[in-house]
Amino acid sequence: MRRAGDVQGNGWLPGMQGFGPRGAGRAALACLLCVLMVDQPLYGSVVKRGPTAGVQQTKGESRALHALNRLTFGPRPGDVAAVQAMGLSTWFEMQLNPSKIDDSALTARLAQYPAMQLPQQQLLARYPTQQIIRVMSQRNMWLPSDPTERAIYGDQMAFYKIQQTNKAAKDAAATTASAAGDGNSMAAGAAPAAVPATGKKNAAKKAAAAEQGAEAAGMATTGPADSMAMPNYEAMAGENGAASNASAMLPKSEISDTGQAPDQHVEKLYRDLDAMKIINMSPDERMRKVIAMSPEDFLGFRQSLSGGELAQFAQGLNPQQRETFAAMQNSTRMVGAEEMQVRLIRDIYSERQLEAVMTDFWLNHFNVYVRKNQNEPYLIPSYERDVIRPNALGKFEDLLVATAKSPAMLVYLDNWQSIGPDSAAAKNGPRYAAIARNPQVKAALKDRGLNENYGRELMELHTLGVNGGYTQKDVTEVAKVFTGWTISQPERGGEFQFDERRHEQGSKTVLGKTIKENGMNEGLEVLHMLATSPATAKFISNKLAVRFVSDNPPPALVDRMAQSFLASGGDIKKVMQTMFDSPEFWTPAAERSKVKTPLEFVVSAVRASGATVNNSLGLVQALDKLGMPLYGMQTPNGYSWMSEPWVSTGALVSRMNFALVLCGDKLPGVRTDWTKLLGESAAAAGKPVAMDSGDGAIDPEVAAKEKKLEAVLLGMPLSEKTRTAVLSQSSDQTAAIQAVKEFQGGGGRGTYTGGPMGEGALAFAARNAVPDDRQAAIMAGMMLGSPEFQRR
Amino acid sequence: MTSRGWNTADHSDWGCDICGRDALKRSITRRGFMKNGALALIGTSTIPAFLSRSVLAEMTTAAANKKKLVVLFQRGAVDGLNVVVPYTEKNYYTMRPSIAIKQNEVIDLDGFFGLHPQMAPFKPLYEQGHLAIVHAAGSPDPSRSHFDAQDYMESGTPGVKVTEDGWLNRALAAEKMEGKASAFRAVALGTQVPRTLQGKVPAIALNNLADFSVGGKGPQTSPISNAFQAMYDQSSDAVLQGTGQETFEAVKMLKAADPAKYQPASGVTYPNTPFGNSLKQIAQLMKANLGVEAAFSDIGGWDTHQNQGASTGQLANRLTEFSNSIAAFWRDMGDDAENVTLVTMSEFGRTARQNGTGGTDHGHANVMFVLGGAVKGGKVYGKWPGVANEQLNEGRDLAVTTDFRNVLGEAAYKTLGSRNLEAVFPGSKVQPAGFLGLMQG
């Protein structure tokens, strides 16, 4: 029950730039299918390794399937055969060395998101935060001279001003309403409308309150400031369907509101514009035209477009142009949406699957939260790209140091503001406080000092583990060690810097060891100490084993991995190799013993179905619904790798609905091709999955199709009961259409996210899409929603 | 501002005398009314409809326990000292130069404590005697890890990690039950069943009543839903089979009861936030008579290490949402609120002193709220340890004087009828004799 205005403004949004080249990635698929068709007898070709005597081992094809289930985001059609053809150990070794794997198809897809490749400061300079927009508007600052940037800044600043004007008017109205007893509205969750709210007084008041909250929560341009955007958190935090993480970032806004009378101010403007004329121009002309528009004209133009027209407008624009168009409306949303879309594109399409899985593992281990403040979304692309991924299969200490220095982590766990109580900066605080104008800044300057947040989580969650033998005193001392680890020009997306003036003087004692006064090196010394501690080796090994082997991994396995960790100086590759070589990894009991997390479920479903993802925004939203929004875990422990949290009534309902929606082509931006998939699998069906019996009542053709789908989607036979259930629904054609309503939270417009561009069109397409083979679609939906597919 | 002498002594009923001034107001609460006169009025036309309904219901189903326990977890460790403020404690102001709630801003409760101004919706509940406050409550375990401390509170076994189930689940198991339990007996609003509700008694989690349905809405389950049900019912996968069964039973019940028709009582507006919506949906489920006995929800965003604000700001915003949601729930439940007990908890409190970034770090004792029909409210319970430097736990935090299990134990005992407290809180020594007397019964 989200209101239209909620998701505008500071909210976020999906830029939706992602019309990936259709068919990119097909090459890779085809390649694997070729391998598949060779169909060689691989059964005995897998070399048994390691000390396997006495422990029953998974064999043959299931071995490859098991490896793919655990070490990738799930097999695509043909992957099992391809791995077998290559040989498991060869395949694993390649996966351990991702740079040797050609990933050009993925690179081509990612080229659709050029902003995600920009260095952090450039990203923030070109696509400013809403905080910057606000400050610039309030101070009437000069616009950039580059015409495109000028439009991106100028339009948003103009929206901000219109919004302020409207807010003031509505505030007055709301005061009256409030006096009439409607005094219950809340700031939380609502982000102000970037476009004048057209709705109820109440909504306007909420927006106003949220704006205040966001104002207070934003990262100030000078000095310490509130960095927790609390009022906005809940709207994203993943409860109550529509109000979950990315969904809240998604625009419902202008377009879905067209039923209501637009604000007069805007109405007058877009009546005068001939939107169709612009749409019919060449892409470059189109962009020149909108960039040259006055902010008011642009707003009117944008509001006048229907979903279909929006799609037409987007047609032919290059990626930068699409990003620009989105950013002219809200650059923060564009950035936030792209980083999530890109993450899913990579997980689905990367040939470097182990790297992707490990990146996911470490992003979760070194969790950061996109809603921490308005800058955090700008810090995440570099965090993923420069901090986590390059070190995902490297040395743990390098990874630890990189996270410690990363602006994303420094902001998330507040260390960038932590100041030695006796440091030079602390002593100067009162002096600056005396001249500070903002009372909050004044107060903060006067009393600033230590913040324990990073010091504690560094030991508890990143290295030693909660039973790692540290005390409260150690937490405080570590916090002192890391004073001065901060960010230069934080408001501009600056990088790490060590600020001696903030650093606590004197030596410290950490875990019984004296850390001599040595500036930034103290921190490096502590990180080294922690990275090489046996407690850390054990803690990390155990967590890896829980992720890759079992909810309750055998202690002997964990010990072996920890030994490998210590002996190799924290070489993650070595630890993974040890795990791969261990009999415990290959016991039949371990097979399919892990319940997929929502991310694993969604990505594996897309991979298994061979669906083409032109835009991953619908999948990003699906993760909200399933309770695992990307970069949406607020607390630093990250999401659980255990089964229990992910098996609940509500989660199961959502999984079944997702499966139906995906297979029925009702998910915006994702297209299946069952005919092709079944055709290919027929040609490749060298080793069909055995079926126990055929139900006499079932058309043999349907039964055959079902059988093929089992082979393609699960790589193993379903239970008889599951199969019967699947077959019983083979003629139901309406389920996907129904499920889409459930899955989208029952909103009238459902998938209609009405974003800056593209989503509208995608939703439009999805409403009218019909899977090429409805029968296959419904059976596939049942299979992906089955108990069997929930495990890996 | 001197301390009154009694705040450092053992006054387990401190605040009582002072709160006694609202005794008059309390006597006209629904509960008081019912207890003292409602039964005598049955059959006369002067009895308000809501009262006759609930009283009659109570008479016809006296054996059935219609009581409901709602447990709310404030995840992230709320700063209790700024929620229920010891506003006459001098050191409170010394330790919190920029984040303290000023004396002229608190909503006075008893001359010693005052509510944060954004907790205003709680004031009438307190005055009417529905809301009790327990200050300086917490865990005997000293952990300052969010995750350990939450885990200990939810399992109900501080310091013991191997406990597999949650205290609320055990409380339900310890209840005397007749007949088949409803699928909605234990329900959590959210995507996951929280630790508190995990265990032998089936518990369901759901996010949004409106889309808790497979492959189609409508009063009947869709064919595909039935097919999925058959698939899960007969799965050999024990975990998924069990959850599947609960899921489809709940889906069916929900379709039959159609809780969507139970919209909030007139004049009640819930904050449009996940927490507000959770409480609204808990009310819907309860009003739909689905057999809810225990409900759980949580609200995050309390980990205010940095710039937490004072009477306005970050913490204040969270409190606005928190107090408005709960007050809306209370009003929405109408006469059925008599059967409800609601308890709030948070894993630990925060440092008594503000830290170097205008916030507070992880501390120890905290404040709990108990709201309900049978609650003897209008009073701040517990023994106040004081916040003078030498009174602080480890020199930095509010000390714990009431074990959180004592509060939860009393709520479970008197609401759910969980008589075997040793089973609910193994090793805790929580016994009725040691209850604070927060509730009648």
Side-chain angles (χ1 to χ4, degrees):
Chain A
M1 266 157 273
R2 220 148 27 88
R3 284 161 295 104
D6 283 6
V7 289
Q8 284 271 336
N10 287 336
W12 287 76
L13 96 141
M16 183 67 181
Q17 331 298 311
F19 295 91
R22 213 181 160 98
R26 286 282 185 205
L29 179 66
C31 197
L32 283 162
L33 287 164
C34 289
V35 178
L36 181 79
M37 280 181 251
V38 175
D39 187 39
Q40 27 196 315
L42 297 148
Y43 199 81
S45 71
V46 178
V47 183
K48 268 196 179 179
R49 320 172 52 125
T52 59
V55 184
Q56 205 192 348
Q57 298 289 282
T58 295
K59 297 199 177 86
E61 192 178 76
S62 14
R63 220 170 142 88
L65 181 60
H66 180 59
L68 284 160
N69 270 330
R70 291 301 167 86
L71 303 165
T72 75
F73 276 108
R76 296 168 297 188
D79 275 4
V80 172
V83 168
Q84 285 190 298
M86 187 187 284
L88 250 183
S89 18
T90 312
W91 173 80
F92 185 64
E93 174 152 1
M94 274 186 75
Q95 288 294 328
L96 279 180
N97 297 284
S99 59
K100 292 180 188 158
I101 302 172
D102 174 29
D103 220 1
S104 49
L106 174 70
T107 311
R109 281 180 178 276
L110 295 181
Q112 297 297 314
Y113 306 87
M116 293 297 103
Q117 301 307 320
L118 292 176
Q120 194 162 286
Q121 292 201 11
Q122 280 181 39
L123 177 69
L124 203 137
R126 187 169 175 94
Y127 303 111
T129 62
Q130 298 309 297
Q131 167 85 18
I132 291 174
I133 295 296
R134 202 158 44 234
V135 171
M136 288 182 67
S137 308
Q138 285 159 354
R139 299 186 189 165
N140 282 318
M141 287 163 78
W142 290 93
L143 291 171
S145 53
D146 172 82
T148 305
E149 287 186 11
R150 197 181 178 84
I152 293 172
Y153 277 75
D155 287 351
Q156 293 188 80
M157 284 165 64
F159 296 164
Y160 174 76
K161 283 181 181 160
I162 291 172
Q163 183 190 316
Q164 292 302 300
T165 313
N166 278 289
K167 202 179 80 181
K170 301 250 162 85
D171 267 353
T175 311
T176 322
S178 173
D182 180 24
N184 232 351
S185 45
M186 296 278 314
V195 172
T198 56
K200 301 140 254 171
K201 291 166 184 170
N202 198 20
K205 193 172 130 205
K206 289 181 191 184
E211 173 64 18
Q212 272 175 1
E215 179 75 43
M219 192 187 274
T221 47
T222 51
D226 189 342
S227 69
M228 293 179 87
M230 282 310 163
N232 292 328
Y233 153 63
E234 291 289 359
M236 310 229 357
E239 285 194 77
N240 284 301
S244 52
N245 193 349
S247 310
M249 297 162 49
L250 304 181
K252 251 202 167 141
S253 71
E254 316 100 293
I255 294 187
S256 52
D257 258 354
T258 44
Q260 299 174 336
D263 194 278
Q264 292 178 343
H265 179 70
V266 177
E267 191 178 36
K268 184 186 130 312
L269 287 164
Y270 74 73
R271 238 188 291 134
D272 302 332
L273 285 163
D274 190 346
M276 282 317 289
K277 219 154 89 186
I278 297 171
I279 287 172
N280 289 330
M281 294 173 172
S282 76
D284 286 351
E285 277 178 292
R286 249 180 269 160
M287 279 308 284
R288 260 199 301 280
K289 188 81 182 170
V290 294
I291 285 171
M293 279 179 191
S294 75
E296 291 76 16
D297 283 355
F298 176 69
L299 181 59
F301 168 71
R302 176 65 188 78
Q303 285 209 324
S304 73
L305 296 183
S306 70
E309 288 163 346
L310 197 61
Q312 279 178 282
F313 181 91
Q315 203 72 41
L317 296 187
N318 67 32
Q320 283 91 348
Q321 287 171 330
R322 284 201 298 269
E323 286 178 342
T324 299
F325 185 64
M328 283 161 65
Q329 296 159 77
N330 187 318
S331 45
T332 308
R333 290 191 200 180
M334 190 278 286
V335 170
E338 281 206 2
E339 71 202 16
M340 296 183 195
Q341 294 180 64
V342 159
R343 183 153 162 211
L344 279 181
I345 294 281
R346 187 181 293 277
D347 289 349
I348 293 165
Y349 285 106
S350 179
E351 298 292 333
R352 303 170 180 178
Q353 278 287 300
L354 183 61
E355 180 189 71
V357 164
M358 291 301 289
T359 300
D360 176 50
F361 177 84
W362 294 120
L363 278 172
N364 195 55
H365 183 79
F366 294 105
N367 182 58
V368 297
Y369 176 52
V370 68
R371 302 286 293 188
K372 172 72 178 179
N373 67 15
Q374 294 198 9
N375 276 43
E376 196 74 26
Y378 293 82
L379 311 180
I380 284 176
S382 164
Y383 188 63
E384 189 273 345
R385 178 187 70 212
D386 308 324
V387 175
I388 301 293
R389 190 149 35 87
N391 293 304
L393 284 161
K395 291 275 181 135
F396 180 75
E397 187 171 344
D398 294 343
L399 179 59
L400 185 66
V401 172
T403 57
K405 289 181 177 175
S406 70
M409 186 61 77
L410 287 165
V411 168
Y412 175 59
L413 290 179
D414 305 318
N415 201 72
W416 72 289
Q417 290 182 313
S418 184
I419 288 171
D422 300 317
S423 67
K427 284 172 190 147
N428 289 333
R431 212 146 41 86
Y432 295 130
I435 53 169
R437 277 176 304 170
N438 180 327
Q440 269 192 333
V441 171
K442 199 190 230 359
L445 278 169
K446 214 164 62 187
D447 302 309
R448 62 193 184 157
L450 217 52
N451 185 309
E452 294 177 356
N453 206 2
Y454 180 68
R456 178 183 308 281
E457 308 307 2
L458 170 65
M459 291 190 284
E460 176 180 335
L461 298 171
H462 296 173
T463 58
L464 304 174
V466 72
N467 298 321
Y470 60 90
T471 63
Q472 173 58 40
K473 178 85 180 130
D474 290 320
V475 170
T476 311
E477 291 289 287
V478 169
K480 286 182 192 166
V481 163
F482 284 97
T483 49
W485 287 53
T486 187
I487 304 168
S488 67
Q489 297 187 301
E491 73 284 1
R492 293 191 192 168
E495 298 297 330
F496 167 79
Q497 75 164 358
F498 178 74
D499 184 349
E500 188 72 53
R501 291 173 309 121
R502 295 174 169 221
H503 186 66
E504 181 71 351
Q505 306 299 307
S507 63
K508 291 96 184 164
T509 308
V510 176
L511 301 167
K513 186 168 186 272
T514 304
I515 309 290
K516 289 221 179 77
E517 178 170 330
N518 195 6
M520 182 180 151
N521 288 328
E522 294 168 27
L524 294 173
E525 188 182 342
V526 166
L527 291 175
H528 179 73
M529 221 166 96
L530 295 173
T532 51
S533 156
T536 300
K538 182 119 189 198
F539 181 65
I540 298 294
S541 299
N542 186 67
K543 198 164 179 179
L544 284 166
V546 169
R547 161 63 182 79
F548 288 100
V549 184
S550 140
D551 280 9
N552 298 297
L557 171 68
V558 176
D559 285 347
R560 218 175 301 133
M561 290 167 70
Q563 284 310 315
S564 178
F565 187 105
L566 290 172
S568 65
D571 188 334
I572 300 159
K573 256 184 216 154
K574 291 277 183 344
V575 179
M576 291 301 286
Q577 185 75 56
T578 300
M579 182 187 80
F580 186 80
D581 291 342
S582 291
E584 292 89 343
F585 184 77
W586 299 103
T587 57
E591 268 181 80
R592 297 204 176 247
S593 66
K594 291 289 295 181
V595 169
K596 291 172 181 174
T597 65
L599 178 67
E600 291 162 357
F601 167 67
V602 165
V603 176
S604 67
V606 174
R607 284 172 61 84
S609 70
T612 305
V613 180
N614 289 320
N615 191 292
S616 52
L617 196 64
L619 299 170
V620 170
Q621 289 174 283
L623 284 171
D624 299 347
K625 190 91 184 165
L626 291 162
M628 197 181 190
L630 289 174
Y631 303 113
M633 183 64 175
Q634 193 195 16
T635 51
N637 54 335
Y639 292 112
S640 173
W641 292 115
M642 305 290 277
S643 301
E644 175 120 26
W646 303 114
V647 180
S648 76
T649 47
L652 279 189
V653 165
S654 293
R655 285 186 189 215
M656 292 174 219
N657 285 325
F658 172 80
L660 294 174
V661 167
L662 171 74
C663 295
D665 275 357
K666 293 293 172 191
L667 204 64
V670 184
R671 284 293 158 275
T672 55
D673 188 343
W674 301 110
T675 311
K676 182 159 181 287
L677 192 74
L678 288 167
E680 280 165 354
S681 81
K687 199 183 287 175
V689 173
M691 280 182 73
D692 300 344
S693 63
D695 186 327
I698 298 291
D699 180 345
E701 208 177 300
V702 177
K705 194 187 277 181
E706 196 274 348
K707 199 161 111 184
K708 275 186 217 161
L709 282 170
E710 278 184 34
V712 174
L713 297 176
L714 286 117
M716 57 166 242
L718 287 167
S719 76
E720 195 53 42
K721 302 298 178 191
T722 299
R723 182 178 304 137
T724 308
V726 169
L727 286 169
S728 75
Q729 293 307 302
S730 57
S731 57
D732 187 333
Q733 318 227 321
T734 57
I737 297 161
Q738 292 295 328
V740 74
K741 291 181 190 153
E742 305 300 296
F743 201 72
Q744 300 293 340
R749 288 226 174 197
T751 58
Y752 210 105
T753 52
M757 119 173 340
E759 295 94 347
L762 285 166
F764 186 74
R767 273 205 302 278
N768 296 303
V770 176
D772 56 330
D773 181 341
R774 285 181 184 224
Q775 194 170 53
I778 197 72
M779 291 197 292
M782 299 268 333
M783 285 180 195
L784 297 186
S786 71
E788 283 90 334
F789 195 76
Q790 307 315 311
R791 292 192 176 265
R792 60 171 168 85
Chain B
M1 205 64 50
T2 60
S3 70
R4 295 157 176 242
W6 50 261
N7 61 331
T8 53
D10 183 353
H11 273 259
S12 52
D13 62 344
W14 44 277
C16 183
D17 294 342
I18 300 161
C19 305
R21 65 191 168 185
D22 66 352
L24 268 180
K25 280 177 238 158
R26 242 182 289 163
S27 70
I28 56 157
T29 63
R30 287 183 298 238
R31 184 186 65 241
F33 186 35
M34 271 177 56
K35 260 198 98 181
N36 301 329
L39 284 168
L41 289 172
I42 285 182
T44 79
S45 59
T46 55
I47 187 165
F50 75 85
L51 275 180
S52 64
R53 229 186 312 126
S54 68
V55 171
L56 286 170
E58 206 164 314
M59 290 182 68
T60 49
T61 61
N65 184 350
K66 294 181 62 192
K67 304 281 186 196
K68 305 163 178 79
L69 181 57
V70 180
V71 176
L72 303 175
F73 206 114
Q74 295 171 280
R75 294 195 192 276
V78 62
D79 181 23
L81 284 174
N82 266 18
V83 179
V84 175
V85 183
Y87 71 91
T88 56
E89 288 267 20
K90 184 160 181 269
N91 204 33
Y92 166 79
Y93 292 96
T94 312
M95 292 185 294
R96 298 185 161 210
S98 62
I99 64 163
I101 311 300
K102 296 192 184 77
Q103 287 189 331
N104 61 4
E105 288 171 336
V106 301
I107 301 168
D108 175 53
L109 292 174
D110 58 9
F112 183 75
F113 291 109
L115 287 171
H116 188 288
Q118 291 305 316
M119 294 291 288
F122 273 24
K123 182 67 195 306
L125 304 177
Y126 182 88
E127 285 182 339
Q128 291 156 13
H130 296 305
L131 177 71
I133 297 169
V134 186
H135 219 322
S139 172
D141 188 89
S143 174
R144 287 193 188 86
S145 152
H146 288 298
F147 316 107
D148 267 7
Q150 285 182 24
D151 199 55
Y152 290 152
M153 275 207 167
E154 297 203 66
S155 70
T157 57
V160 180
K161 294 210 162 174
V162 295
T163 310
E164 286 182 346
D165 44 14
W167 72 268
L168 189 50
N169 196 292
R170 292 195 303 273
L172 289 169
E175 175 191 354
K176 224 176 115 194
M177 269 291 288
E178 283 162 29
K180 186 177 177 294
S182 158
F184 283 89
R185 187 176 174 211
V187 58
L189 270 289
T191 50
Q192 304 181 343
V193 175
R195 181 82 154 92
T196 302
L197 270 177
Q198 286 171 18
K200 282 196 218 79
V201 173
I204 62 172
L206 51 84
N207 222 1
N208 193 348
L209 298 181
D211 37 74
F212 193 68
S213 181
V214 177
K217 286 191 197 301
Q220 302 297 318
T221 49
S222 65
I224 203 141
S225 177
N226 296 334
F228 267 126
Q229 181 175 6
M231 194 188 265
Y232 274 82
D233 272 357
Q234 298 173 45
S235 172
S236 57
D237 187 323
V239 175
L240 288 165
Q241 193 260 351
T243 310
Q245 260 180 353
E246 290 156 25
T247 303
F248 288 104
E249 197 184 332
V251 165
K252 283 195 169 151
M253 280 181 75
L254 210 55
K255 277 188 188 294
D258 190 17
K261 71 183 177 208
Y262 296 96
Q263 287 305 310
S266 101
V268 174
T269 315
Y270 286 88
N272 188 17
T273 62
F275 184 64
N277 284 323
S278 288
L279 289 187
K280 181 176 154 192
Q281 296 188 94
I282 289 175
Q284 284 179 326
L285 290 172
M286 288 180 169
K287 288 194 280 187
N289 284 320
L290 285 161
V292 176
E293 286 181 40
F296 179 96
S297 186
D298 51 17
I299 171 169
W302 305 104
D303 196 17
T304 49
H305 281 282
Q306 184 248 11
N307 201 11
Q308 76 174 41
S311 61
T312 60
Q314 201 188 132
L315 177 64
N317 289 340
R318 305 306 292 143
L319 291 175
T320 312
E321 177 181 359
F322 179 71
S323 60
N324 274 305
S325 299
I326 292 172
F329 171 77
W330 181 254
R331 288 199 306 275
D332 189 15
M333 286 306 292
D335 44 320
D336 205 27
E338 294 295 337
N339 291 317
V340 173
T341 307
L342 179 152
V343 189
T344 74
M345 58 204 286
S346 189
E347 66 265 34
F348 42 69
R350 309 191 69 84
T351 47
R353 291 181 195 87
Q354 74 181 69
N355 70 8
T357 52
T360 42
D361 290 321
H362 301 181
H364 199 37
N366 213 333
V367 64
M368 296 173 78
F369 293 100
V370 185
L371 171 68
V375 170
K376 294 194 270 185
K379 176 176 163 180
V380 184
Y381 288 82
K383 175 188 167 190
W384 183 243
V387 292
N389 288 342
E390 66 280 6
Q391 293 169 325
L392 296 174
N393 169 57
E394 295 182 22
R396 54 180 261 157
D397 320 314
L398 184 64
V400 170
T401 57
T402 299
D403 189 321
F404 73 98
R405 292 170 297 181
N406 199 2
V407 178
L408 300 179
E410 184 171 352
Y413 187 94
K414 293 180 179 171
T415 307
L416 299 175
S418 316
R419 292 288 181 254
N420 185 353
L421 290 168
E422 176 56 25
V424 181
F425 295 111
S428 69
K429 308 224 161 56
V430 173
Q431 284 307 324
F435 286 162
L436 295 178
L438 297 160
M439 295 176 64
Q440 298 172 339

